[in-house]
């Protein structure tokens, strides 16, 4: 089985502004998933403010149940745990990106340094779909790494939560635990632990 070894992230972020004042929103313009950099612990509030402004914004997060002590009783509470920290994904046009980078709570947009010409990092629609599906339906904790991982063959996991999930085998350096996940270009890999007996190789 061949594996693609992923090197440490070679991306960076730069605050680049343009003549963004009064930029109209064109519903027919091409939209891509750009990656906005925000301050620590501000991912959800930044997303909510962007949604209120009418933009398609997404934070890689997972709903979990936490237990708190309330006197002698334990209280259950659903919380939203951010999986990929300090980033908000935005499905926007280039003109909208130039406008949004001027907002005070957006520090910058991620730059992909793998190109000779400075290019803003984007994530494909397919990767975003896989990421959202993994976070939205998995019945166990999803983690994220940017370094020291390898992507293997494509497989399907049976009974992951209430659905079957197709992704890639993920191997972490020095860890023999089986994982499945999705690679996010320019960032890293979101993954979760699986039981080997639930794995099924994808057939062409």
């Amino acid at each position: 089985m061949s594996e693609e070894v992923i090197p440490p992230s070679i991306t960076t972020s730069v605050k680049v502004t343009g003549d963004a004042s009064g930029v109209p929103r064109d519903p027919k313009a091409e939209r891509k998933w750009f990656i906005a950099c925000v301050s620590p612990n501000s991912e959800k509030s930044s997303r909510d403010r962007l949604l209120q402004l009418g933009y398609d914004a997404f934070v890689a997060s997972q709903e979990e149940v936490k237990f708190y002590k309330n006197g002698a009783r334990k209280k259950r509470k659903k919380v939203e745990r951010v999986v990929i920290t300090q980033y908000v994904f935005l499905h926007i046009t280039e003109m909208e990106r130039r406008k949004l980078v001027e907002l005070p709570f957006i520090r910058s947009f991620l730059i992909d340094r793998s190109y000779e010409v400075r290019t803003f990092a984007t994530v494909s629609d397919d990767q975003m779909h896989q990421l959202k599906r993994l976070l939205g339906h998995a019945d166990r904790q999803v983690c994220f790494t940017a370094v020291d991982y390898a992507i293997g063959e494509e497989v399907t996991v049976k009974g992951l939560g209430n659905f079957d999930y197709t992704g890639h085998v993920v191997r972490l350096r020095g860890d023999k635990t089986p994982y499945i996940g999705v690679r996010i270009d320019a960032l890293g890999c979101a993954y979760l632990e699986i039981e080997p007996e639930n794995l099924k190789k994808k057939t062409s």
Side-chain angles (χ1 to χ4, degrees):
M1 179 182 68
S2 61
E3 294 184 347
E4 178 187 2
V5 177
I6 310 299
S9 175
I10 52 177
T11 58
T12 186
S13 58
V14 178
K15 185 98 172 182
V16 180
T17 59
D19 184 12
S21 58
V23 175
R25 299 195 66 190
D26 184 358
K28 296 182 180 179
E30 181 184 13
R31 280 176 166 73
K32 298 180 180 180
W33 285 102
F34 289 91
I35 306 169
C37 307
V38 298
S39 299
N41 303 315
S42 71
E43 301 90 353
K44 292 181 287 186
S45 61
S46 297
R47 173 203 58 198
D48 294 344
R49 294 170 73 177
L50 289 162
L51 289 172
Q52 290 176 356
L53 292 172
Y55 293 98
D56 187 358
F58 174 75
V59 167
S61 61
Q62 191 175 24
E63 189 176 85
E64 296 179 341
V65 175
K66 297 288 186 180
F67 291 90
Y68 299 90
K69 281 190 176 181
N70 184 11
R73 302 176 60 185
K74 285 188 176 180
K75 184 179 179 181
R76 293 180 55 183
K77 181 180 180 182
K78 288 185 177 181
V79 298
E80 183 183 2
R81 178 181 62 88
V82 177
V83 176
I84 305 179
T85 58
Q86 299 186 49
Y87 295 116
V88 176
F89 298 90
L90 282 160
H91 197 225
I92 54 176
T93 67
E94 169 59 20
M95 293 297 285
E96 290 170 343
R97 185 203 62 75
R98 295 184 184 183
K99 180 179 180 180
L100 290 175
V101 77
E102 296 182 349
L103 294 175
F105 57 90
I106 292 183
R107 301 171 62 184
S108 59
F109 278 86
L110 203 65
I111 296 288
D112 192 339
R113 291 294 186 183
S114 63
Y115 296 93
E116 292 184 3
V117 179
R118 186 176 63 186
T119 304
F120 286 98
T122 59
V123 181
S124 70
D125 290 340
D126 181 61
Q127 288 181 350
M128 288 300 301
H129 173 73
Q130 291 185 56
L131 177 63
K132 289 181 176 182
R133 194 163 185 260
L134 184 67
L135 292 167
H137 297 281
D139 60 352
R140 63 206 73 180
Q141 188 177 84
V142 176
C143 301
F144 180 79
T145 183
V147 295
D148 295 337
Y149 69 95
I151 297 292
E153 63 188 329
E154 189 174 33
V155 295
T156 297
V157 178
K158 295 293 184 180
L160 185 61
N162 57 358
F163 75 110
D164 296 340
Y165 182 79
T166 298
H168 286 84
V169 172
V170 177
R171 288 180 171 81
L172 306 181
R173 181 178 295 178
D175 188 346
K176 295 183 179 180
T177 306
Y179 299 102
I180 190 173
V182 54
R183 178 185 177 185
I184 306 299
D185 288 342
L187 281 179
C189 179
Y191 65 94
L192 53 75
E193 185 176 347
I194 52 175
E195 291 78 27
E197 59 269 21
N198 291 336
L199 277 180
K200 180 181 179 181
K201 292 184 179 180
K202 187 177 180 181
T203 56
S204 56

